[in-house]
Amino acid sequence: MKLVIVESPAKAKTIGKYLGADYKVDASRGHIWDLPDKTMGIDFDKNYEPSLEARSPEQKETIERLKKEVAKAEQVYLATDPDREGEAISYHLQCALGLNPNEKNRIMFNEISRKAVNAAIQNPDYINKGLVDAQQARRVLDRLVGYTLSPVLCKKIRNKLSAGRVQSAALRIIVDREKEIQKFKPEEYWTVSASLEKPSKKPQFSVSLTEKDGKKIKIKNKEQCDAALQTLNGNDYIVSAVKKSVTQTKPQPPFITSTMQQDAVNKLRMSSATAMSVAQQLYEGIDIPGMGHVALVTYIRTDSVRVSNDAIVQAREHIAKRYGGEYLPSKPNFYATKKQAQDAHEAIRPINLDLTPESLKDKINRNQYALYKLIYERFLASQATNATFNSVSVAVACGNYTLTATGKTQLFDGFLAIYAEQKNKDKDEEGETNTVLPPLEVGDKLNLVKLNSEQRFTKPPARYTEASIIKAMEEKGIGRPSTYASIMQTLYKREYITKDGKSLVSSNLGIQVTEYLEQYFAEVVDIKFTAEMEDRLDAIEDNGEPWYEVVDSFYKPMLKEVDTAMHGRKIALQEEVSDVICDKCGSHMIIRMGRYGKYLACSNYPNCSNIKSLKEKEPPKVTDVVCEVCGSRMLERQGKFGKYLACSNYPQCRNTKPITETVAKCPKCGKDVVKRVSRKGTIFYGCTGYPNCDFVSWDVPTGKLCPKCGTHLIFKTSKGAKVVRCSNKDCDYDGGESES
C-alpha cells in the first residue's frame, strides 16, 4: 500500500478518485505543528529557532494516526499545496513522521485532475528547503512583530489591540486616505453643455464646454459661467473638427488571486474572506450529484497569469465551437506576468471546460456557482478576440469657445460576449459622456436646442473598498495575495476599520494606533520598507541568505524602539462624547466604532456596561390596509428580507402579510404577478392566483409569451440596456430592448 498525505479531507476525497486500490489518501487537516499560543515560542540564543508543537489534542491524534499509516506503507508521498505554506506542512510531516529527508517523497500539482495527479506520482522530488526557510522566516518575523508591539499598544493605548508587520502597513493606507478626506476642502466649479441638432438629422446630441481661445478651461464661479453662456447664446455653432477611428479593447488576463478577490467583491458582493473560502472549495473538490467528488479549478493562490499550452488549446476549441470562428484570434493570447510575481503556478482557470457553469448551476451552492462562473468566463474571454468600436470625436466652435463630444458604437463584441468588464458608475468630473452622434462633417452648422449649466464642487478622494484596498496592497507590494483576506478580517476584528456600505472607514482607534506606530515604530507602518522586506523574504528561497539573518536585521532595531516607546507617555483615547444620557446610570454615552458601525456605550464603563444603537428606530408607518383578522390598521415594518405589513393590534393579533409589488399580468391566467421573497431570502415572481395557478418566474416576467416556443418572456439586462428574452434557455428568441 502506498500512502498519499494531503491537508484536507475534501482534497483527499478528490485525489482518492484518481488513484487505484494500491493507494490510500489521508489528510493532516492543515498544519500539524505551529508556534505555541500563549508564549513567544522563539529561541533567541539559537538564531531565532521556533519551538514548534502540536497545539491541540486533535493534532496529536492526527500525528499518531499518520504514524501508524506510515508504518504500513511501502511508499509515502507528501502532496500538500504547491506553495511555501504547503512546503512547510510537508516538511513538518516529514520530521514528525520520521520520513527519510534524502528520499524523493514530495509531489505537487497545479490542478487536481487525473492527468496531473498521476503525472506528479511518477515524478516525485525532494522537499524544497528554500521554500521552507522562506515560510519560516515570515512566520517567525510576524510572531516577533505581533508579540513585541501588541503589548506596547495594550499598555499605552488600551487592551485587546494588536499590531502586525503587514496589518499595520495596510491600516496606514486606509488611515492616510481618511485623513485626506478630512482635510479636503471642496472647490466650486461649473459645467456648461449645449444640446444641439443637425438640421433634418437625428438624434439631438450634447457637447460639453472644454476650451476658450484654444486652451483648456475650468469655470470656477457663476460670473465666468454667465459670461460663457452669453457668448454661447449669441453665436453660431459650427463643426470645427471630426475625428473618426476604430478602437479595440483587449480582454483581461485570467485571474490571479488578487484580481479574483477584487472581482468577487465588486461583481458578486462577496467579502474577500468568503471569496477565498469558496475558491478553496472549488480547488479541493465538491460533491456533485452523478459525478462524485470533483475539483473544478486550478490552484487558487497564484500571482502568475501564465496558463498551460493544453489549456489554451482547449479554450480556443471551446470558443470556436460555442461562439464561432470570428471570436477566435488568429494566434493565442499571451499575457505578461509582473516582475515581482513568483510565477510558480498557472493562473486560476477551470480544469475542464466541458463542465460549464450552466451544467452545474443546480448541483452546487449559489456562491460556488457564482465564483466558478466568474473564473470560467474570465479565462475563456482571455483567449477571445478584441472588442471593436467605432469611435467619433467632434469639436464644435461657438465664438471663442470650443465644445466637444465623443461617440462610441460597438462594432463587434468579441470577448465581451463572454465576460463583461465592470463599468465605472462614477460620472466623469468634467462631464464627458459617451454620446450617440448623427453624421457630421467639418463646416456643418448646428442648431442650438438648449443650454445647460450646473454648479458643482470637487469631491474628496473615494474611500477604499475591500476590492480597491486589495489592489492598492498588490500595487504597493505589501503582503501577499493569500494573506489579504486574513488581514482584512484582523482589521475588522480589532475595530480599526468598519464598513459604510462598501467603503472602508478607519475608526478613531485605527487612526490613533497608526499615529502612535508612526511616532515610535516608523518602519512598521512605512509602506516602502514593508514592500522591501517582502522582497527580502521572497528572496530567501532563491539566493540562499540565512533566514535568521533577515529576521535579525529587522528585529534588533525594533527592540530599541520598543524601549523608547515603553518609556513614553500613555495615549489618552479621543472618544466622541454624545449628548445621549445613559438610562441606567445617568452618565453621558460615548460614540464607539464596532464591526458593524458606530454605537453608543456608557462612559461609566466598567461600572456600567450599557450599550445601545446609535440610530433610534423610526416608528412603524401606519397604512390604510385593514387587518382581515381583527379589523385594525396594518403597520409597515422592516424585516430581514425587506418590508412587510403587521397588525397594529399586536400582541393580541399576530397577523402579518407581505407587501406585494405587481410587476406584470400572469401569462397563464391573467391575474397579477407580484414580487415575493422565499424563506431563504430568494426573490421570485409568483401569480396571485396561486394555488389555482402555479406560474412562477425567477426573473422579472413581461406578462407575454414567446412567439417562437410559447414559454413566458422575461426582462434581462444586457450591456446596460433592459432587453426582452425568452425564459427557455434552449430558445434563441431576442425581443430587443424594452421600452418600459
Side-chain angles (χ1 to χ4, degrees):
M1 185 269 291
K2 296 176 182 179
L3 178 65
V4 178
I5 304 176
V6 298
E7 303 102 311
S8 76
K11 189 174 176 182
K13 197 172 181 181
T14 310
I15 293 173
K17 281 181 56 180
Y18 304 134
L19 299 174
D22 293 338
Y23 290 86
K24 179 172 183 178
V25 186
D26 208 335
S28 69
R29 297 183 180 272
H31 282 277
I32 56 165
W33 284 349
D34 202 356
L35 291 167
D37 274 334
K38 297 182 180 179
T39 60
M40 180 76 81
I42 294 169
D43 193 333
F44 296 96
D45 296 326
K46 294 183 179 179
N47 291 329
Y48 301 95
E49 181 180 313
S51 300
L52 301 173
E53 61 181 36
R55 296 191 309 186
S56 69
E58 290 76 18
Q59 287 173 318
K60 292 176 182 177
E61 289 174 8
T62 297
I63 294 171
E64 292 305 313
R65 187 189 75 249
L66 292 175
K67 280 182 178 179
K68 292 176 183 177
E69 296 293 344
V70 168
K72 294 184 287 185
E74 59 183 86
Q75 177 70 48
V76 179
Y77 297 100
L78 303 172
T80 51
D81 283 349
D83 58 12
R84 292 192 191 101
E85 199 82 11
E87 203 73 14
I89 294 173
S90 281
Y91 177 68
H92 295 160
L93 284 167
Q94 187 183 75
C95 296
L97 303 178
L99 302 178
N100 187 350
N102 297 316
E103 285 186 7
K104 292 184 176 181
N105 52 22
R106 176 75 167 113
I107 62 172
M108 291 189 289
F109 30 80
N110 185 59
E111 62 182 51
I112 305 177
S113 62
R114 187 182 302 277
K115 179 181 177 181
V117 170
N118 282 291
I121 288 283
Q122 299 303 316
N123 296 280
D125 205 345
Y126 300 108
I127 284 178
N128 186 327
K129 198 61 168 59
L131 285 173
V132 175
D133 285 347
Q135 192 276 337
Q136 184 160 274
R138 286 176 175 278
R139 186 74 183 95
V140 169
L141 188 56
D142 288 342
R143 170 57 64 97
L144 289 171
V145 173
Y147 272 52
T148 302
L149 296 192
S150 297
V152 178
L153 296 180
C154 291
K155 183 173 182 180
K156 294 298 181 179
I157 301 180
R158 83 168 204 202
N159 288 330
K160 296 184 179 180
L161 299 183
S162 70
R165 182 180 60 85
V166 179
Q167 164 199 323
S168 298
L171 176 60
R172 181 180 177 175
I173 297 174
I174 299 171
V175 167
D176 284 351
R177 177 60 56 86
E178 193 66 29
K179 288 182 175 180
E180 283 184 69
I181 294 170
Q182 290 174 358
K183 291 177 182 177
F184 181 81
K185 293 182 179 179
E187 295 180 2
E188 178 187 10
Y189 72 101
W190 289 70
T191 60
V192 174
S193 63
S195 296
L196 305 175
E197 65 179 4
K198 185 178 179 180
S200 72
K201 293 287 185 180
K202 290 186 177 181
Q204 292 181 10
F205 63 99
S206 178
V207 289
S208 299
L209 179 60
T210 54
E211 293 182 3
K212 180 182 181 182
D213 298 324
K215 296 180 180 180
K216 287 188 177 181
I217 182 175
K218 188 163 187 175
I219 300 175
K220 297 182 178 180
N221 52 51
K222 191 174 188 303
E223 289 72 22
Q224 292 178 0
C225 178
D226 289 342
L229 291 175
Q230 186 174 358
T231 300
L232 295 174
N233 254 321
N235 287 278
D236 292 335
Y237 288 80
I238 308 295
V239 176
S240 58
V242 177
K243 183 180 178 182
K244 299 178 181 179
S245 62
V246 175
T247 59
Q248 293 189 338
T249 301
K250 296 180 180 180
Q252 293 290 325
F255 281 134
I256 59 177
T257 307
S258 60
T259 53
M260 180 193 70
Q261 290 180 71
Q262 290 169 48
D263 265 23
V265 170
N266 283 331
K267 292 188 172 185
L268 306 181
R269 297 183 179 181
M270 289 184 185
S271 68
S272 54
T274 299
M276 288 304 292
S277 174
V278 175
Q280 187 72 23
Q281 295 163 19
L282 298 177
Y283 166 67
E284 291 184 343
I286 301 169
D287 282 315
I288 300 177
M291 299 175 63
H293 207 76
V294 180
L296 296 175
V297 303
T298 54
Y299 191 53
I300 48 90
R301 292 178 177 84
T302 177
D303 51 9
S304 169
V305 294
R306 173 179 54 82
V307 295
S308 69
N309 290 331
D310 285 349
I312 291 174
V313 170
Q314 290 176 27
R316 289 174 61 81
E317 290 175 352
H318 195 87
I319 291 169
K321 182 179 178 181
R322 183 170 179 180
Y323 295 94
E326 65 271 28
Y327 287 88
L328 191 66
S330 57
K331 296 180 180 179
N333 294 333
F334 292 98
Y335 300 91
T337 294
K338 293 180 180 178
K339 289 182 180 179
Q340 67 268 32
Q342 297 298 302
D343 200 25
H345 316 295
E346 288 187 59
I348 304 169
R349 61 170 175 81
I351 294 173
N352 182 358
L353 286 172
D354 290 334
L355 289 178
T356 63
E358 291 75 19
S359 69
L360 300 175
K361 187 172 184 180
D362 299 325
K363 299 176 181 178
I364 56 181
N365 72 39
R366 185 169 58 181
N367 281 346
Q368 291 166 348
Y369 165 75
L371 189 59
Y372 180 63
K373 186 172 187 287
L374 207 66
I375 293 169
Y376 187 101
E377 292 177 350
R378 172 82 168 224
F379 168 67
L380 205 60
S382 73
Q383 286 301 318
T385 52
N386 298 343
T388 310
F389 299 88
N390 224 344
S391 297
V392 180
S393 299
V394 61
V396 178
C398 183
N400 59 338
Y401 290 101
T402 301
L403 302 94
T404 58
T406 58
K408 192 175 180 182
T409 306
Q410 183 174 284
L411 297 176
F412 180 64
D413 52 3
F415 75 93
L416 293 174
I418 306 171
Y419 187 85
E421 296 297 334
Q422 187 88 3
K423 290 184 179 180
N424 187 0
K425 295 180 181 178
D426 295 330
K427 194 174 180 181
D428 187 85
E429 281 289 331
E430 300 300 325
E432 184 180 335
T433 55
N434 182 40
T435 307
V436 178
L437 300 172
L440 295 171
E441 300 293 337
V442 174
D444 284 349
K445 185 175 180 180
L446 306 172
N447 295 334
L448 174 65
V449 178
K450 185 181 178 183
L451 274 176
N452 307 288
S453 64
E454 183 182 355
Q455 182 188 33
R456 293 186 180 181
F457 292 90
T458 54
K459 297 178 181 178
R463 288 189 172 99
Y464 286 105
T465 63
E466 275 201 21
S468 61
I469 192 63
I470 287 171
K471 184 177 181 181
M473 291 169 69
E474 182 187 25
E475 290 174 347
K476 296 176 187 296
I478 66 169
R480 285 297 175 256
S482 59
T483 66
Y484 295 155
S486 60
I487 289 167
M488 296 308 302
Q489 291 300 102
T490 302
L491 295 179
Y492 291 132
K493 183 179 179 181
R494 299 300 180 193
E495 299 182 6
Y496 293 157
I497 64 171
T498 188
K499 271 190 176 182
D500 180 9
K502 288 186 177 181
S503 300
L504 303 179
V505 184
S506 56
S507 63
N508 287 336
L509 178 62
I511 293 172
Q512 288 182 265
V513 166
T514 300
E515 289 176 344
Y516 184 82
L517 292 173
E518 284 180 300
Q519 180 180 353
Y520 289 103
F521 305 98
E523 288 187 338
V524 172
V525 289
D526 183 87
I527 309 301
K528 185 179 179 182
F529 179 83
T530 304
E532 289 171 352
M533 181 54 66
E534 290 286 358
D535 292 338
R536 286 193 68 187
L537 291 169
D538 287 343
I540 289 173
E541 65 187 81
D542 300 322
N543 63 20
E545 181 179 3
W547 67 268
Y548 51 83
E549 290 183 4
V550 176
V551 172
D552 192 66
S553 68
F554 183 93
Y555 182 64
K556 280 189 176 174
M558 188 177 71
L559 276 182
K560 296 178 181 178
E561 295 168 344
V562 169
D563 185 63
T564 303
M566 292 301 276
H567 285 87
R569 63 185 178 85
K570 185 171 182 177
I571 304 298
L573 276 175
Q574 299 171 3
E575 294 182 308
E576 188 178 350
V577 180
S578 74
D579 56 2
V580 180
I581 303 298
C582 175
D583 49 16
K584 290 188 177 180
C585 73
S587 303
H588 274 279
M589 301 197 81
I590 54 177
I591 299 173
R592 285 198 172 154
M593 184 74 73
R595 182 174 182 180
Y596 302 106
K598 293 181 177 180
Y599 66 96
L600 291 171
C602 184
S603 60
N604 192 25
Y605 180 84
N607 298 321
C608 177
S609 57
N610 187 25
I611 62 171
K612 61 196 304 185
S613 171
L614 183 62
K615 295 180 180 178
E616 292 293 338
K617 292 183 180 179
E618 295 181 3
K621 179 182 175 182
V622 180
T623 71
D624 294 329
V625 181
V626 176
C627 174
E628 62 268 28
V629 176
C630 71
S632 303
R633 290 287 184 90
M634 303 284 282
L635 304 177
E636 184 181 291
R637 293 189 178 274
Q638 183 73 36
K640 183 178 180 181
F641 302 122
K643 292 180 179 180
Y644 67 97
L645 294 176
C647 183
S648 60
N649 193 26
Y650 178 88
Q652 284 74 24
C653 178
R654 297 176 179 268
N655 184 30
T656 62
K657 58 195 301 185
I659 296 177
T660 55
E661 176 188 340
T662 301
V663 295
K665 292 294 182 182
C666 178
K668 293 182 72 172
C669 72
K671 292 188 177 181
D672 288 343
V673 174
V674 297
K675 182 178 178 181
R676 298 189 185 278
V677 181
S678 72
R679 291 182 179 180
K680 293 184 178 180
T682 306
I683 294 174
F684 68 98
Y685 303 89
C687 180
T688 54
Y690 180 84
N692 297 322
C693 178
D694 61 357
F695 175 79
V696 170
S697 175
W698 298 104
D699 295 287
V700 181
T702 66
K704 298 177 182 178
L705 297 176
C706 175
K708 292 187 72 173
C709 71
T711 311
H712 72 276
L713 298 175
I714 56 175
F715 290 116
K716 285 281 191 181
T717 301
S718 176
K719 299 167 188 173
K722 194 175 182 182
V723 298
V724 176
R725 296 284 187 267
C726 182
S727 58
N728 180 3
K729 292 180 181 178
D730 297 325
C731 178
D732 61 357
Y733 174 75
D734 184 349
E737 290 195 17
S738 167
E739 296 179 358
S740 61

